[in-house]
């Protein structure tokens, strides 16, 4: 199948999806629960149960039992991650959307412009701790304090403690861009690992690329768009900002996982 061409701004389409995801949280306000109930941890969309995979796993570990309903509710999002990778983070997650809007409102953020070391060790470790901890103390560890769930509850109840947690996540942006998403979030890294071999991703046309570096500068996750390596595969949110800023149309979404780079012709490093 041919690659999806950039006929419209990918980022503009993504903004509409993000706004739609926020509006979904407000649907119960208008008394139409048959469309959507719940939040982005557990919900029903047109009667179909949906659950955050990490929340489902933690719940089953905490109860030391397998719940078919929880598994089936998480399955659609697991399949989505396997096919599209970490797309939930870049297109749907209300916390990521909030952080992006915060940067738009305050472009001088963050205080530090020094790039962070590219590493997935810390968020992966937090993911493992949350899973082992859920089994050990019989409580869904991360799900209990998840900023994603907290932000959803703020929409419903305006709870002060939940709002404080969300503000802490936002304040982390003063130090490094997308600090929460890149360094801490176990939900995001789980989606990343589920989609490490994703079928649809951002691919690079070597013949069009001139190694200007604009796409890398635009990526808040420090991913090399279309590049190889575990960090790129796990961290890319498929947000498409790199596609939007590329004036040569060298980047696009494609069913081909990656187009091979000729490292002798292109100087962008591909190491982890």
């Amino acid at each position: 199948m041919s690659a999806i061409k950039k006929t419209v701004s990918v980022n503009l389409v993504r903004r509409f999806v993000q706004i739609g995801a926020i509006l979904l949280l407000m649907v119960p306000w208008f008394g139409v629960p048959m469309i959507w109930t719940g939040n982005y941890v557990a919900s029903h969309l047109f009667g179909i149960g949906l659950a955050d995979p990490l929340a489902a796993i933690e719940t089953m570990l905490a109860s030391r039992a397998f719940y078919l309903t929880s598994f089936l509710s998480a399955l659609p999002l697991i399949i989505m991650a396997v096919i599209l990778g970490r797309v939930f983070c870049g297109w749907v997650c209300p916390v990521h959307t909030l952080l992006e809007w915060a940067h738009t409102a305050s472009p001088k953020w963050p205080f530090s412009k020094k790039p962070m070391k590219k590493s997935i060790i810390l968020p992966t470790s937090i993911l493992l701790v949350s899973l082992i901890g859920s089994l050990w103390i019989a409580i869904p560890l991360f799900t209990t304090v998840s900023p994603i769930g907290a932000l959803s509850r703020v929409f419903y109840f305006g709870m002060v403690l939940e709002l404080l947690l969300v503000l802490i996540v936002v304040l982390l942006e003063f130090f490094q861009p997308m600090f929460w998403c890149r360094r801490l979030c176990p939900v995001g890294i789980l989606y990343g690992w589920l989609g490490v071999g994703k079928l649809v991703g951002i691919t690079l046309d070597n013949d069009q690329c001139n190694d200007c570096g604009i796409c890398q500068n635009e990526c808040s996750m420090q991913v090399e768009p279309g590049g190889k390596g575990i960090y790129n595969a796990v961290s890319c949110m498929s947000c498409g900002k790199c596609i939007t800023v590329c004036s040569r149309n060298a980047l696009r979404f494609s069913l081909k996982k990656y187009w091979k780079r000729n490292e002798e012709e292109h100087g962008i490093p591909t190491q982890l």
Side-chain angles (χ1 to χ4, degrees), residues 14 28-29 34 42 46 52 58 170 196 215 247 253 265 272:
R14 189 173 66 94
W29 294 0
M34 69 288 297
F46 294 109
D52 166 26
E58 283 191 335
V170 173
V196 69
C215 58
S247 61
F253 288 111
E265 295 180 5
L272 290 179

Side-chain angles (χ1 to χ4, degrees), residues 76-136:
L77 296 177
I78 292 174
I79 294 174
M80 179 186 71
V82 170
I83 297 174
L84 300 173
R86 204 170 166 172
V87 70
F88 174 86
C89 301
W91 290 70
V92 178
C93 178
V95 173
H96 180 76
T97 299
L98 178 63
L99 296 180
E100 284 196 339
W101 290 352
H103 278 281
T104 302
S106 182
K108 293 183 179 180
W109 286 13
F111 292 151
S112 173
K113 301 297 181 181
K114 182 180 179 181
M116 287 190 294
K117 180 180 179 181
K118 295 182 180 182
S119 176
I120 55 175
I121 294 176
L122 181 56
T124 301
S125 299
I126 293 173
L127 171 62
L128 293 175
V129 168
S130 70
L131 295 176
I132 296 171
S134 297
L135 179 63
W136 186 21

